[in-house]
Amino acid sequence: MTTPIIRRIVGWLLPFLWIFSFYIMLFGHLSPGGGFSGGSVLGACLILDRHVNGANAFGARFTGERLLKLSLAALLLYGILKGQSFLAGVLHMNGLPIPLGTPGNILSSGLILPLNVLVGIVVAVAFYLIATLFEEGHL
Amino acid sequence: MKRKIAAVLITVSFIAFLLIGLSDFPPYGTADSAVYNEVTARYLEKSIEETGAVNAVAGMILDYRAFDTFIEASVIFTALVLVLMMLQKNDKANGGDGNDHAHH
């Protein structure tokens, strides 16, 4: 049920929402937010875009299978990145040397920034695919 | 049938594994257990130094307890796959016998 009102308002809102979702994910280690909340907003962006723009939406460029593979790849990468540091700790070895940086900078706190983005990808894909499935009946 | 038995065995052994872990917990509400004293103090005092994150919550869920977050993300992914398996209309995702692929 897309009316011109929704179309216009979403058109104004979406650019800011895109930026806001990436802000939440990329600044998760500095301010409130992180992978789950940023991924929710990113998923909402994809859903609104798909609802208003249909086949021209950004998400419509990818098949559901591709997005699932992207989500799985993000999950596996998370497991590898964190698994190596946990295993290294258990075996009393040195894991990948990842500098912690200066607390407060964007590029700091080691793995937390990339892990936030990976979690965000998983959450956004899940929201988007389920909403698309419920609205259109197929992917 | 074999797969069902395997599934039950895996589930039962996982439950047993979790219950064995649970039996090591201190009794509920114990005031002097480490969880309520040392862990909290350590997280609050040393999280910036040890994880580099100004946001202490991010330091906890993605550094000290990153595996917990990993499993949380896996749960979301599994839920997504199950919803797609159960509710998708076309035969391709339902694990059909492969004869239906010609129609799509």
Side-chain angles (χ1 to χ4, degrees):
Chain A
M1 198 191 72
T2 311
T3 65
I5 299 173
I6 293 179
R7 207 184 297 259
R8 178 62 64 91
I9 289 179
V10 167
W12 282 338
L13 218 57
L14 258 185
F16 298 104
L17 278 179
W18 283 111
I19 296 174
F20 187 52
S21 69
F22 285 107
Y23 165 76
I24 297 177
M25 274 191 273
L26 294 176
F27 283 69
H29 54 303
L30 302 178
S31 55
F36 286 103
S37 30
S40 316
V41 179
L42 184 60
C45 287
L46 289 165
I47 294 168
L48 275 176
D49 191 20
R50 177 75 177 235
H51 183 72
V52 168
N53 295 323
N56 295 323
F58 176 70
R61 295 183 196 182
F62 311 100
T63 60
E65 200 175 326
R66 267 224 173 135
L67 288 175
L68 267 182
K69 278 179 186 162
L70 173 74
S71 177
L72 185 61
L75 209 50
L76 285 176
L77 188 58
Y78 187 123
I80 291 168
L81 281 177
K82 210 58 218 184
Q84 60 87 19
S85 82
F86 269 63
L87 266 182
V90 170
L91 301 175
H92 300 290
M93 297 185 325
N94 288 323
L96 291 176
I98 297 156
L100 286 184
T102 320
N105 288 354
I106 295 182
L107 287 177
S108 70
S109 71
L111 281 173
I112 292 182
L113 173 61
L115 294 187
N116 260 333
V117 175
L118 292 177
V119 172
I121 290 173
V122 175
V123 174
V125 167
F127 277 28
Y128 170 68
L129 285 185
I130 289 179
T132 312
L133 179 68
F134 282 8
E135 189 162 292
E136 305 183 7
H138 58 87
L139 289 179
Chain B
M1 192 62 195
K2 256 184 194 171
R3 294 183 65 169
K4 273 185 189 168
I5 294 174
V8 169
L9 281 180
I10 291 172
T11 313
V12 168
S13 51
F14 189 61
I15 290 172
F17 173 71
L18 289 181
L19 286 178
I20 289 169
L22 195 65
S23 68
D24 280 343
F25 276 28
Y28 180 74
T30 319
D32 57 347
S33 75
V35 182
Y36 300 124
N37 306 301
E38 291 161 33
V39 177
T40 316
R42 168 85 175 240
Y43 283 177
L44 288 177
E45 284 163 10
K46 292 210 165 174
S47 71
I48 289 183
E49 178 190 325
E50 286 178 344
T51 69
V54 179
N55 180 0
V57 176
M60 266 176 244
I61 67 169
L62 285 167
D63 197 299
Y64 292 119
R65 301 185 174 184
F67 255 33
D68 177 67
T69 312
F70 177 52
I71 306 296
E72 273 172 35
S74 313
V75 166
I76 292 179
F77 181 77
T78 314
L80 169 67
V81 171
L82 282 175
V83 166
L84 294 183
M85 269 172 61
M86 305 293 283
L87 298 180
Q88 206 166 8
K89 270 183 194 159
N90 59 12
D91 309 313
K92 212 162 79 179
N94 280 335
D97 49 16
N99 294 332
D100 303 327
H101 284 239
H103 303 301
H104 294 283

